[in-house]
Amino acid sequence: MHGKSKAKLGIGVIGCGNISMTYLRNAALFTGVELRACADLSAEMAALRAGEYGLRALSVDALLADPEIDLVLNLTVPSAHFDISFSALSAGKHVFTEKPLATSASDGRRLVAEAKVRGVLLGSAPDTFLGAAGRRARRLMDEGAIGRAVTGTAFMMGRGMEHWHPNPQFYYQPGGGPVFDMGPYYVTMLVNLLGPVVRVMAMATRGQDERLVTAEGPYKNTSFRVGTPTNILSLLEFRSGATVTFGASWDVFKHSNHPIELHGTEGSLRLPDPDTFGGTVSLSAHGDDWKHFESEGEFYGARNWPYTAPDRANYRMLGVADLARALSEGRRPRASGELALHVLEIMEAILASGESRNSVAVAGSVDQPPLLGEDEAASLLG
């Protein structure tokens, strides 16, 4: 694996949409990384972000060829993830991509293979499992706080995107939907805590064939066709023997399901929304009252987002900082391409099972990423 072990890792961002602002702002928090350039299909958008964050605005091709760019941060829409990541890897750049790794497991495997051939590192969001809540939950699991995990539930349910996103159509096409868009947060957290999944069973439906955009913007009051399931219930069988129900829906106005609950031979564990880095983790030992672990005072647990009125923790770029450290230490990053590929294989199996109504074996496997210790978490801060 090649790269700069002492100097900061030079980062070029491709994709300057909404999510880029969070990454660009958070980059200043971390050691070992430095933003240097950005690119977008829209030259105007690239110029805007470049001006806001003191970067060079380049074309995509120029950024991929730039010797000052060591890592490409791929923040494009899901349908472009594979092409941009593969081009960057082929150019000898390390890559960290927004989720999902790709829109098909076969493309995900090609990315992992290309990174290996090129001797570069591949990482992928989500990195939220490295946040304060995820680290606390992982420590409790590793310490045997609930004994052997037996069962659990994970629910991601909401109204969808069209009431707040000005251009929501891509969320409802293949490669999107609640499983591919939001599922990575939940499935990654489950794999981090329980290990790999070997088999899934699922049922999938569409709550509506058409969606009406009500968010302010150029598409307000226009409708579009839905091209992927929006309501999925699945059962995940883990190699450890645990079974977890995972539900993902954009057809729910209000619900009372907890984001993640795990139950074992010695107790139960509750986790907050895995789309955030913080929140309260709760433990019940042998049926006792819940003991609550707050994350506000821990690394990557403080409320810092939305910027104007923070009510949750958002430290996107943590996975990139860990990748930079992994490069200097000659190890695999925790939010690795291999982990993202296994998550992608699970999600693809869920949709395949939902279509066939049969159980589907998950093609690959992965080891749980090493726990991010508190001293190392602190050392990643600039």
Side-chain angles (χ1 to χ4, degrees):
M1 299 175 183
H2 74 269
K4 300 177 181 178
S5 58
K6 295 182 179 179
K8 289 187 176 182
L9 199 67
I11 296 175
V13 176
I14 299 180
C16 296
N18 287 341
I19 193 63
S20 69
M21 291 182 287
T22 301
Y23 279 91
L24 291 168
R25 182 180 184 185
N26 284 344
L29 299 174
F30 297 98
T31 186
V33 297
E34 182 177 81
L35 297 172
R36 293 179 179 168
C38 63
D40 193 275
L41 284 177
S42 166
E44 292 78 10
M45 186 63 74
L48 174 64
R49 295 288 180 258
E52 290 172 336
Y53 295 95
L55 308 177
R56 291 178 293 132
L58 302 175
S59 69
V60 171
D61 288 343
L63 188 149
L64 292 176
D66 194 315
E68 292 190 11
I69 302 303
D70 305 305
L71 177 142
V72 169
L73 179 54
N74 183 358
L75 304 181
T76 58
V77 296
S79 60
H81 283 182
F82 172 78
D83 288 340
I84 293 297
S85 292
F86 193 85
S87 295
L89 294 170
S90 298
K93 310 293 187 185
H94 308 290
V95 169
F96 191 94
T97 180
E98 248 302 330
K99 49 77 191 168
L101 178 65
T103 57
S104 71
S106 60
D107 280 347
R109 294 183 196 104
R110 288 183 64 192
L111 292 176
V112 170
E114 184 70 10
K116 185 176 181 179
V117 167
R118 300 287 178 176
V120 295
L121 291 180
L122 172 63
S124 176
D127 54 359
T128 48
F129 70 96
L130 300 175
R135 296 197 315 277
R136 171 71 71 174
R138 176 64 183 271
R139 289 199 303 272
L140 289 169
M141 292 292 292
D142 288 355
E143 292 165 1
I146 70 167
R148 176 176 57 83
V150 177
T151 189
T153 56
F155 290 105
M156 192 299 299
M157 293 181 168
R159 292 174 55 194
M161 306 298 187
E162 64 273 18
H163 63 284
W164 67 269
H165 198 288
N167 184 22
Q169 294 88 337
F170 73 91
Y171 285 109
Y172 293 90
Q173 306 310 318
V179 168
F180 267 70
D181 181 63
M182 295 300 294
Y185 300 108
Y186 291 75
V187 177
T188 301
M189 184 66 79
L190 291 172
V191 172
N192 173 55
L193 299 176
L194 298 174
V197 173
V198 295
R199 183 173 298 275
V200 307
M201 297 180 67
M203 298 184 72
T205 60
R206 298 180 193 179
Q208 305 171 61
D209 290 329
E210 290 191 352
R211 295 269 178 159
L212 175 67
V213 180
T214 57
E216 294 297 329
Y219 297 100
K220 185 176 182 179
N221 295 325
T222 64
S223 297
F224 60 92
R225 297 285 297 177
V226 175
T228 193
T230 56
N231 183 69
I232 301 94
L233 287 173
S234 62
L235 181 64
L236 312 182
E237 178 188 356
F238 289 79
R239 187 172 64 190
S240 66
T243 55
V244 174
T245 298
F246 170 50
S249 179
W250 282 341
D251 296 305
V252 175
F253 278 95
K254 191 177 182 66
H255 70 92
S256 56
N257 295 299
H258 210 79
I260 297 177
E261 289 191 357
L262 299 177
H263 309 286
T265 55
E266 304 294 330
S268 298
L269 190 67
R270 281 182 173 175
L271 278 74
D273 182 355
D275 187 14
T276 184
F277 289 71
T280 302
V281 174
S282 301
L283 172 68
S284 170
H286 300 100
D288 292 344
D289 290 342
W290 293 104
K291 179 180 180 182
H292 303 296
F293 300 89
E294 307 294 343
S295 68
E296 186 68 18
E298 299 185 7
F299 297 114
Y300 316 115
R303 297 181 179 93
N304 69 336
W305 188 86
Y307 310 141
T308 54
D311 65 1
R312 70 206 78 169
N314 186 345
Y315 292 88
R316 283 166 172 80
M317 278 294 291
L318 175 54
V320 180
D322 178 69
L323 185 150
R325 180 67 56 81
L327 181 63
S328 67
E329 295 176 351
R331 61 169 174 85
R332 178 183 296 179
R334 290 177 171 88
S336 66
E338 290 82 359
L339 175 61
L341 172 58
H342 185 58
V343 170
L344 180 56
E345 289 169 335
I346 295 167
M347 297 188 302
E348 191 172 82
I350 288 172
L351 292 183
S353 178
E355 182 175 353
S356 69
R357 303 297 174 95
N358 296 315
S359 67
V360 174
V362 176
S365 189
V366 73
D367 293 330
Q368 289 172 274
L371 171 68
L372 176 62
E374 297 308 291
D375 289 344
E376 189 175 359
S379 73
L380 294 176
L381 292 169

